[in-house]
Amino acid sequence: MQVIILDTPEQVAEKSAQWVTELIEQKPAAVLGLATGSTPISLYQLLVEQYRQGVLSFANVTTFNLDEYHNIAAENLQSYRTFMQKHLFEHVDIAVSRTFLPTCSAEQNPRLQGEEYEQLIKAKGGIDLQILGIGANGHIGFNEPTSSLASRTRIKTLTKQTLADNSRLFTQDEVQPTMAMTMGIATILEANHVLLMATGENKASAVKQMITGPLNAMCPASALQLHQHAVIIIDKAAASELTEQDYFLWADKEQRKVTDDHGLLTVC
Ligand code: GLP
């Protein structure tokens, strides 16, 4: 695990954007795993800016989102499809037909839909870089605590904590879904690289458990300890409970001696 601690959330977004752009430069037909939530919004803004400046193209990129609410219409303002359209897809040159989310309507069978999503990821050659956020309870995607570390794309019931954390995003008139389809932990671990972004003090405890806690289904993000190429990019607030902060800051400096910023994807 490579842990990069930066001063501000803006720097977290900049560093993460650098990873994504480097990947697309190296591999224009890259397969990106995408996340929703408030944390990656600033990353998407930077990617849109780069596209507008003509230095980045998504024309050959394929994307797979981590999760989507169960039985939600794509055009619903709360769907993750709407989120992705609004924050990234509508503003860049990606064809909607190359963007995938693990959808499942009431009429569909979640098990079959999950399997189909897994097959589709495989058919596109697998995910080159998976972007992740982290829930305050340590979830990644919607893999809530107690999720099997061997899980695959499936339906999950959200925890009370996640529902409470995300309730801020719903108006009084909107129904907050309690179930979602999500890539599993094993699905996420199969990505060639994973990049987890976390900012703010409310993530500090989950970040500590993810990086230095035991590998444990109660902190699904701790499964990233098993990944060969996982980079954790966090701000100081999210790192505030890490007792190994000094080591990570020093290791990051040392690492720069053997690789420049443009060698990010070959480090870890
Ligand atoms: C959501 C998503 C996760 C996201 C997390 C954190 O529920 N399913 O993929 O990482 O919660 O969200 P935020 O970045 O808003 O804190």
Side-chain angles (χ1 to χ4, degrees):
M1 234 181 208
Q2 185 185 4
V3 180
I4 301 178
I5 303 172
L6 301 167
D7 289 335
T8 65
E10 291 73 27
Q11 289 172 337
V12 169
E14 278 160 23
K15 179 63 88 181
S16 305
Q18 208 179 322
W19 269 64
V20 178
T21 49
E22 185 190 330
L23 169 69
I24 298 175
E25 273 164 20
Q26 281 177 17
K27 188 178 177 184
V31 179
L32 279 182
L34 299 177
T36 52
S38 46
T39 313
I41 291 177
S42 42
L43 159 66
Y44 298 145
Q45 282 167 349
L46 291 173
L47 297 178
V48 169
E49 260 172 47
Q50 294 192 36
Y51 165 72
R52 285 184 178 147
Q53 287 164 14
V55 290
L56 188 64
S57 168
F58 292 82
N60 297 308
V61 169
T62 299
T63 66
F64 285 94
N65 264 77
L66 280 169
D67 45 19
E68 176 58 288
Y69 287 120
H70 178 240
N71 194 30
I72 195 164
E75 56 279 8
N76 185 309
L77 291 182
Q78 288 293 347
S79 77
Y80 284 168
R81 162 61 70 184
T82 298
F83 177 100
M84 290 311 306
Q85 292 294 135
K86 179 177 160 197
H87 293 290
L88 183 65
F89 300 156
E90 269 172 16
H91 311 288
V92 297
D93 58 344
I94 194 163
V96 177
S97 57
R98 300 180 84 107
T99 63
F100 301 97
L101 287 92
T103 56
C104 185
S105 68
E107 295 73 38
Q108 289 172 317
N109 178 335
R111 199 178 56 79
L112 297 181
Q113 290 300 111
E115 272 172 28
E116 203 173 285
Y117 202 60
E118 294 278 334
Q119 292 308 321
L120 199 54
I121 295 172
K122 277 201 186 83
K124 301 287 178 190
I127 292 170
D128 292 301
L129 173 63
Q130 176 66 57
I131 306 294
L132 294 168
I134 185 169
N137 63 1
H139 74 217
I140 45 176
F142 267 134
N143 292 286
E144 296 285 32
T146 72
S147 286
S148 162
L149 302 184
S151 51
R152 293 281 167 183
T153 305
R154 70 212 182 288
I155 193 163
K156 282 295 289 181
T157 300
L158 308 185
T159 61
K160 293 272 160 65
Q161 184 182 347
T162 296
L163 290 170
D165 287 349
N166 289 354
S167 62
R168 69 185 197 283
L169 305 168
F170 292 80
T171 65
Q172 270 190 333
D173 303 332
E174 287 174 327
V175 180
Q176 185 176 6
T178 55
M179 298 184 96
M181 292 291 288
T182 180
M183 276 187 203
I185 295 176
T187 322
I188 293 168
L189 290 179
E190 270 175 15
N192 283 340
H193 291 82
V194 296
L195 189 174
L196 185 142
M197 306 168 70
T199 58
E201 236 177 279
N202 66 324
K203 299 292 172 69
S205 164
V207 163
K208 179 187 166 68
Q209 288 177 55
M210 162 178 68
I211 298 172
T212 63
L215 181 65
N216 183 343
M218 288 310 289
C219 178
S222 67
L224 300 183
Q225 292 173 21
L226 293 172
H227 200 285
Q228 201 185 355
H229 301 295
V231 65
I232 312 298
I233 307 184
I234 53 181
D235 69 353
K236 277 190 168 161
S240 57
E241 288 189 28
L242 272 179
T243 38
E244 295 72 14
Q245 262 188 75
D246 286 349
Y247 171 71
F248 290 129
L249 287 166
W250 179 61
D252 191 30
K253 264 196 204 137
E254 287 290 291
Q255 198 127 311
R256 280 168 208 263
K257 291 181 190 167
V258 290
T259 176
D260 57 28
D261 270 355
H262 296 287
L264 283 171
L265 291 177
T266 52
V267 218
C268 309

